[in-house]
Amino acid sequence: MTTTARAVVAAGSGALLVALVALASTGTVGAVTSLVLAAGLLALVWLGPDRFGQALVLAGVFTAPMNSVRPIAGADAATFSDLFLFLGFALLVPRMLSGRARVSALHLAASLMLVCVGAVSSLLNANTATSFFYLVKMMTGLILLPLAFQVWRPSAERLRWLVWAYVLGQLVSLLDGVAGSRVGGRFLGLTTHPNFFGICSMLAAALCLYLISTAPVGRRVWPVLACGGCLLSVVLSGSRAALLATVVIAIVFPVLERSARAGYLVVAAGTLAGASAGLLLDRLGPDSAIGRLAGEGTSQGSDAARMENLTSAWHTFLQNPLGGTGFQVDTAFAHNGYLEVATAFGILGAVAYGLLLWSMVRTILRNERRNLLGYAALGYAFVSFFNNTLWDRFAWVALSLVLVADQVVARPPQVDQPRRLEDVPA
């Protein structure tokens, strides 16, 4: 390093130190922020931009099921997960540009179709600014986030770490619910709504199928225990849609995987649950997913509100079924993701959204190179019929891993090529 470079580094370090000290002197928030920035800079110097970027993405996946954990309390703009993912991918840009991107052609085509249809619909309606705001919000979750993960191209080993990060993040949220973070009798965890807690639980349980199937036999006890915790979270969330999606996955999995053992386990679990339904209701309470599915707790009031919102959204859709009416503030309350998109962007928008989800769900239908993470996409596609989780990153972080896994599965095995003619076997 030259004398000039050393002088620049020293001057920059001194200025940064003065800025951190000044920030720390502003109060408690400033002091905490200063410590976090200092720790981040030390980690950046110690690990280097590439490894630190991967660590930040891992932290973003870990905090994804905790959408109530935010840098600014009460602000809806961004969560800590968003911040970690943004900084992580920013540091990974050199790596992402160094190789050839391999993305899902169907996902990319559906994304472009959705953006084009959404932009035209937003321009043709009176609520242009609001509609574009929600369109950009949708692009961040449905399109940009999955593309960033695909262009990054993490290895199979890093993919396992990412899947584990999401599952462990959900288990931490469950512990917060056990500690008392609830709405009535429904677990809230580190989310902003019990339904979101249930969806994260369902997604994490589906991801555990990948961890169980790819783990060595002697180590499968850990993902099995984690899956049990996620399934318990689904029930305690009170989300009937998440519970039904979990049941759908449990039924489809043994069929597609042709696993008699999994089929026997599902039948035994279903029989046991049916035989002990009364005991489960007494122990878990009326606000559990099982209790609400049986019509107890707050289910009746929720059903009435859902029917009213669905009816209103359907009438709005009929006003312009081809071009849509653009996103509005109350569009997201339809509690049906497909109808929300159809209402905002018309039939073509709904088709594009369906194709985008199909690009992930179809990965479990292959006889060879089946993508086990695709079961999470199947669960989300089912939940979308009953919930307004259209652009929430806590879901799309998990779904992005589906496309990453499809890259890993599709890669051909590395085979050493012979360099000399005499090396070629006869």
Side-chain angles (χ1 to χ4, degrees), residues 129-164:
T130 302
S131 187
F132 265 109
F133 170 77
Y134 285 112
L135 177 61
V136 172
K137 198 173 181 180
M138 175 188 289
M139 289 174 56
T140 303
L142 281 70
I143 301 171
L144 297 181
L145 194 59
L147 286 177
F149 273 99
Q150 290 179 87
V151 176
W152 172 29
R153 306 179 307 278
S155 64
E157 181 181 0
R158 289 188 176 92
L159 176 62
R160 278 189 63 83
W161 279 100
L162 292 169
V163 176
W164 264 118

Side-chain angles (χ1 to χ4, degrees), residues 37 260 277 283 405:
L37 290 175
R283 291 294 181 90

Side-chain angles (χ1 to χ4, degrees), residues 43-334:
L44 178 61
V45 173
W46 180 42
L47 296 174
D50 188 76
R51 286 194 295 173
F52 186 49
Q54 295 184 51
L56 285 174
V57 173
L58 191 67
V61 176
F62 173 74
T63 52
M66 315 174 195
N67 73 326
S68 67
V69 182
R70 300 175 178 179
I72 303 176
D76 294 334
T79 65
F80 267 113
S81 177
D82 298 328
L83 180 62
F84 288 144
L85 290 171
F86 176 79
L87 294 176
F89 282 122
L91 291 174
L92 288 173
V93 166
R95 170 186 282 269
M96 296 164 71
L97 295 177
S98 63
R100 182 179 178 182
R102 184 180 298 171
V103 300
S104 167
L106 180 58
H107 178 268
L108 183 60
S111 300
L112 293 175
M113 179 179 175
L114 186 60
V115 170
C116 293
V117 172
V120 171
S121 178
S122 299
L123 287 172
L124 295 180
N125 286 282
N127 51 317
T128 300
T130 302
S131 187
F132 265 109
F133 170 77
Y134 285 112
L135 177 61
V136 172
K137 198 173 181 180
M138 175 188 289
M139 289 174 56
T140 303
L142 281 70
I143 301 171
L144 297 181
L145 194 59
L147 286 177
F149 273 99
Q150 290 179 87
V151 176
W152 172 29
R153 306 179 307 278
S155 64
E157 181 181 0
R158 289 188 176 92
L159 176 62
R160 278 189 63 83
W161 279 100
L162 292 169
V163 176
W164 264 118
Y166 191 93
V167 172
L168 292 176
Q170 175 55 34
L171 294 178
V172 170
S173 184
L174 170 62
L175 292 177
D176 186 72
V178 173
S181 181
R182 309 177 189 182
V183 174
R186 302 178 64 183
F187 273 47
L188 183 66
L190 292 170
T191 65
T192 57
H193 196 282
N195 286 341
F196 296 163
F197 180 74
I199 293 171
C200 291
S201 304
M202 179 272 298
L203 291 172
L207 297 182
C208 284
L209 296 176
Y210 167 83
L211 295 175
I212 295 171
S213 300
T214 57
V217 176
R219 297 180 182 178
R220 287 183 179 177
V221 62
W222 301 113
V224 168
L225 290 176
C227 186
C230 296
L231 292 175
L232 178 63
S233 300
V234 171
V235 176
L236 295 176
S237 71
S239 172
R240 293 169 291 177
L243 179 60
L244 291 175
T246 305
V247 172
V248 169
I249 295 173
I251 294 174
V252 172
F253 181 82
V255 176
L256 293 183
E257 302 301 322
R258 299 175 183 175
S259 172
R261 181 182 302 177
Y264 293 145
L265 182 61
V266 170
V267 172
T271 304
L272 181 62
S276 58
L279 179 62
L280 289 175
L281 286 175
D282 291 338
R283 291 294 181 90
L284 297 174
D287 284 324
S288 67
I290 296 176
R292 298 181 78 243
L293 195 61
E296 299 188 10
T298 58
S299 60
Q300 295 183 359
S302 177
D303 290 342
R306 284 175 183 270
M307 287 303 300
E308 181 180 353
N309 292 332
L310 282 172
T311 303
S312 176
W314 179 251
H315 287 316
T316 304
F317 166 71
L318 293 179
Q319 293 177 10
N320 191 354
L322 294 179
T325 57
F327 268 119
Q328 304 177 41
V329 176
D330 57 348
T331 302
F333 295 101

